[in-house]
Amino acid sequence: MSVQSNVEVHTEWGIVSARQAGRNLAKEIGFSTVDQARITTAISELARNIYLYAEKGEIIIESVEAMQSTGVKRGIKITAKDKGPGIKNIRQVMEDGFTTSGGLGAGLPGVKRLMDEFDIDSIAGEGTEITTIKWLS
Ligand SMILES: Nc1ncnc2c1ncn2[C@@H]1O[C@H](COP(=O)(O)OP(=O)(O)OP(=O)(O)O)[C@@H](O)[C@H]1O
Ligand SMILES: [Mg+2]
């Protein structure tokens, strides 16, 4: 079974909708309320970055499964995609406190800590795609 929501992020409303969609799916998959909060926080940070730096983009929320020795594990995968300015130095943006907007620079390092898997794919001038997964333990 695969469930997927695509939420366009172009306004503050998009950020709210992405959070809501993430919370609903996380609950359905069986995440605890604490993990639901971690997942919605991660979605907020990614959506806010799209809104701030790329102006618009998309958050894709889906359930994923993986085989392991003890059976099938379930998880939630969040993909944040935009065709904004891209990120030149990925290592730099993953440092705590690095910001180009006078923010806290805590967003991306925070998302990495909240989730289990984290990957940035970005080309300067073309856009950014960030993929992150949390597994149900
Ligand atoms: N989608 C994106 N496109 C282009 N640049 C981005 C994108 N997301 C993040 N960045 C760059 O990475 C930097 C770090 O992002 P991060 O979310 O960690 O911190 P912040 O947004 O500056 O502050 P905070 O999220 O703590 O309010 C940003 O300042 C911005 O330069
Ligand atoms: Mg941010």
Side-chain angles (χ1 to χ4, degrees):
M1 184 195 64
S2 138
V3 187
Q4 186 179 321
S5 306
N6 296 49
V7 182
E8 208 159 310
V9 176
H10 190 24
T11 62
E12 308 249 9
W13 256 114
I15 304 175
V16 174
S17 309
R19 279 178 65 97
Q20 195 60 55
R23 185 179 296 279
N24 290 344
L25 184 58
K27 200 184 281 183
E28 204 178 296
I29 292 171
F31 283 102
S32 67
T33 50
V34 173
D35 275 342
Q36 289 170 34
R38 292 188 174 109
I39 291 160
T40 52
T41 301
I43 292 171
S44 284
E45 292 299 331
L46 294 173
R48 227 157 48 81
N49 282 353
I50 289 176
Y51 179 65
L52 277 177
Y53 307 115
E55 209 176 310
K56 63 177 177 174
E58 193 184 13
I59 298 273
I60 300 156
I61 296 158
E62 58 198 312
S63 68
V64 286
E65 289 184 347
M67 279 300 283
Q68 51 177 15
S69 51
T70 48
V72 175
K73 65 173 174 179
R74 290 195 81 193
I76 190 165
K77 179 173 166 184
I78 314 297
T79 308
K81 266 191 200 176
D82 66 65
K83 294 193 168 79
I87 296 171
K88 270 201 208 97
N89 187 335
I90 289 173
R91 206 162 69 189
Q92 194 173 40
V93 300
M94 292 313 296
E95 281 168 17
D96 273 307
F98 177 83
T99 179
T100 57
S101 67
L104 290 176
L108 292 176
V111 172
K112 187 172 182 185
R113 278 191 288 266
L114 291 167
M115 303 290 284
D116 295 323
E117 291 182 30
F118 182 92
D119 193 52
I120 300 186
D121 200 357
S122 185
I123 300 176
E126 288 190 16
T128 302
E129 182 165 334
I130 298 176
T131 307
T132 181
I133 297 178
K134 190 157 193 74
W135 295 110
L136 191 64
S137 47

